[in-house]
Amino acid sequence: MKAISVHDLTKVFGSTVAVDHISFDTEEGEIFGLIGLNGAGKTTTILMLTTLLNPTSGTATVCGYDILKEKDSIRRSIGVVFEEQAVDIYLTGRQNLDFSVRMYNVPAKERRERITNALEAIGLADFADVKVKDYSGGMLRRLEIARAMLTNPKVLFLDEPTIGVDVQTRRYLWDYLRRVNKELGMTIFISTSYLEEADYLCNRVALIDEGKLIATGTPEELKASIGKNLVSIKVATGINADFVKLLQGLDYVEKIEERDGSLELSLKNGSIGIPDIVRLARRNGFTISSISSHNPSLNDVLLHYTGKKAEG
Amino acid sequence: MVSETILSAKEKKPLLEWTPIYSMWLREIIRFFNMKSRVISSIIQPFLFLGLMAIPFSNLIPPEAQGMMSQMFGGLSFFGFLAPGIVGIGLLTTGIMGGVTVIWDKEFGFLKEVMVAPVRRISLMIGRSLGGMTIAVFQALLTIGVAALFGIWYDFQIQGIAGVGLALVFIILTFATFIGAGITLGGMFEETEGFMSIVMLLQMPMLFLSGAFVPIDRLSGVPVLYQLQFINPLTYGIDGIRAALTGAPPFLPLWVDFTVILAFALVFLILGARAFNRMQLS
């Protein structure tokens, strides 16, 4: 059984199509990332999968349950960490967790145990009895994750879990999620516009843009799909059509794009690319003012498929 | 769109989900006690209303006119007349303001957290209303106690435990009406500002046209105002509370007061539950 299975899921708000016929599967026990820029439709997708929003059309199952017909079965099987803060700041950390887990009819003794364990696992044990309004941003996030874990979910949903969180906490959370995924075999579904995060954490990702699913695969597959090596060239005299034609003649150049006054090349084999290109330019009287190469990242994947740059 | 009720029937849930109701209730109580300012203000408020309003007002009446005036107040002193009205006003304001917490929860995202739990929304609303009610009843009893204390000098006597018991029934129904109205209103607004301005607009006429300050029949002959009193739920609440507490004859028969306020309570609770059910995430 797939942990999550999505077919033609669509959500229309008024005249805007927030999510546009997306389909994908998430395997049990994997960390799956829904990646894309802000406003791409990630949050809307998560709200639909977590039964908080009904789709306009299409279907999806979570843990085998239908998101429309078996809402409560899904609610019993998942944990959710929302993008915006969703705790009561006038209660302490422990009170917040206690309140949450009561909703799931857990006996008192087990409730206390679970809360203590969850707080300890995420490093909040010392702040359990402090009111949440005195928490830092990172502590808030950790508390929310602890809360989502209390119900021993089969699938954990996290919407932009490390947005507005300092580098240290971010690292901590990544390690925590990896550990949980590995030790408990928990399926983790994460949405993020921070693509390094997806690259670091996710077994597979789906790239979404303007509500449409653009590409699905492992981060490595997606990166490989846009070439083994990326070279960016600036020509002193500006971009020249003859020079572009010259580059197009090279058999290891897969794709050439102009962007912000420089040429972006996808190469099959990078190691011989740069010296070769420099030689070629010099021989034909073009002056290269800068040339650099790097291995593609998910940011390049986003740029390649959508023409958009990731923020930050 | 598939409606929630059909689904819940299919997935079999108990009619009343005690634990979630209890935890929503507990949350309201803990929140109340966690905010020291709220605790202090709810204790001081009865003293302020009774001390700064009821006592000065009752001093308007010269001693030699007391007898004549008390006929107007159904045999009560002006203070004795005002005190039950102040109890009613407290129920109106805390009840309707209960709706603002719904908006806070929307703003702070807390609503999402509880809505993703496998619990019926009606349970969430019942729990929250009961929490507010507990606090409101506590405040009403405190007001009655303080009034009885001042009443030693200003002539306000409670008609025994049975009277308080009956008053409590009216207090609960009056509060249920206004918390239902508050939640209904809260469901219609996305931010506190809009909600507050409407609440102000509604509260003023309800406060002054309820028989809290001026006996209902004193307005007979004043067109519109007189009639408006009878569409105000608070009128029936206060009439009932006053008669129950003091033993003074009610303006309407007590069973009428009871039936009308019960009907109002049911209607507004149902409206509130619907508003809660419909609440969608933006």
Side-chain angles (χ1 to χ4, degrees), chain A residues 72 85 88 90 100 105 131, chain B residues 13 19 31 34 108 113:
Chain A
D72 276 325
Q85 162 192 329
D88 191 330
Y90 293 106
S100 278
N105 278 317
K131 262 183 226 164
Chain B
K13 269 184 285 191
T19 324
R31 270 180 73 111
N34 272 3
F108 296 145
E113 187 212 317

Side-chain angles (χ1 to χ4, degrees), chain B residues 30-62:
Chain B
I30 292 175
R31 270 180 73 111
F32 177 76
F33 284 105
N34 272 3
M35 282 197 254
K36 294 278 173 300
S37 53
R38 266 183 81 187
V39 180
I40 292 167
S41 89
S42 75
I43 292 171
I44 290 180
Q45 220 176 24
F47 285 94
L48 291 181
F49 260 111
L50 291 164
L52 297 180
M53 197 175 75
I55 291 176
F57 270 30
S58 61
N59 276 320
L60 280 174
I61 298 160

Side-chain angles (χ1 to χ4, degrees), chain A residues 28-248:
Chain A
E28 263 176 64
E30 81 176 339
I31 304 186
F32 188 89
L34 191 60
I35 60 174
L37 299 174
N38 290 331
K42 302 188 299 291
T43 300
T44 309
T45 305
I46 286 201
L47 288 179
M48 286 192 282
L49 293 180
T50 55
T51 73
L52 291 180
L53 202 63
N54 289 339
T56 311
S57 67
T59 56
T61 59
V62 175
C63 302
Y65 303 116
D66 189 280
I67 57 165
L68 268 176
K69 293 183 200 125
E70 293 161 304
K71 283 181 196 251
D72 276 325
S73 305
I74 293 182
R75 290 175 188 175
R76 251 177 242 119
S77 321
I78 61 171
V80 190
V81 178
F82 295 104
E83 183 176 358
E84 313 105 60
Q85 162 192 329
V87 289
D88 191 330
I89 57 167
Y90 293 106
L91 301 183
T92 68
R94 193 190 300 277
Q95 283 169 342
N96 260 295
L97 297 190
D98 189 51
F99 172 78
S100 278
V101 76
R102 272 170 196 277
M103 292 286 167
Y104 293 80
N105 278 317
V106 181
K109 189 169 164 267
E110 200 188 333
R111 212 158 59 211
R112 273 192 296 276
E113 260 169 40
R114 281 201 205 176
I115 291 170
T116 309
N117 292 343
L119 284 167
E120 216 148 87
I122 204 137
L124 274 180
D126 293 343
F127 302 94
D129 299 309
V130 174
K131 262 183 226 164
V132 173
K133 69 182 165 73
D134 298 323
Y135 276 26
S136 70
M139 286 160 74
L140 260 172
R141 263 292 122 112
R142 283 193 272 167
L143 180 67
E144 287 177 325
I145 292 176
R147 190 196 59 217
M149 293 291 297
L150 279 177
T151 54
N152 299 333
K154 292 201 189 78
V155 181
L156 179 64
F157 287 90
L158 302 111
D159 193 3
E160 299 275 7
T162 64
I163 214 162
V165 155
D166 60 277
V167 183
Q168 236 177 332
T169 311
R170 181 174 279 170
R171 277 275 154 197
Y172 184 90
L173 292 180
W174 287 355
D175 291 340
Y176 175 80
L177 292 174
R178 278 191 149 177
R179 206 169 65 227
V180 162
N181 170 254
K182 211 172 153 199
E183 287 171 8
L184 307 175
M186 190 180 288
T187 308
I188 297 181
F189 186 95
I190 175 174
S191 96
T192 184
S193 54
Y194 180 48
L195 303 186
E196 282 86 354
E197 175 164 270
D199 205 352
Y200 182 82
L201 270 179
C202 298
N203 305 114
R204 286 194 314 130
V205 295
L207 174 64
I208 185 171
D209 186 53
E210 292 176 1
K212 291 193 176 69
L213 207 65
I214 308 287
T216 316
T218 66
E220 288 66 35
E221 281 167 3
L222 290 194
K223 286 184 282 189
S225 75
I226 63 164
K228 291 256 161 42
N229 199 345
L230 298 178
V231 172
S232 145
I233 306 171
K234 267 208 167 89
V235 184
T237 48
I239 293 167
N240 182 299
D242 291 338
F243 185 55
V244 173
K245 210 168 283 170
L246 217 57
L247 294 173
Q248 273 164 346

Side-chain angles (χ1 to χ4, degrees), chain B residues 116-131:
Chain B
V116 82
V119 171
R120 265 194 251 148
R121 291 202 194 165
I122 183 83
S123 308
L124 302 176
M125 158 152 167
I126 293 173
R128 140 169 292 159
S129 304
L130 287 178

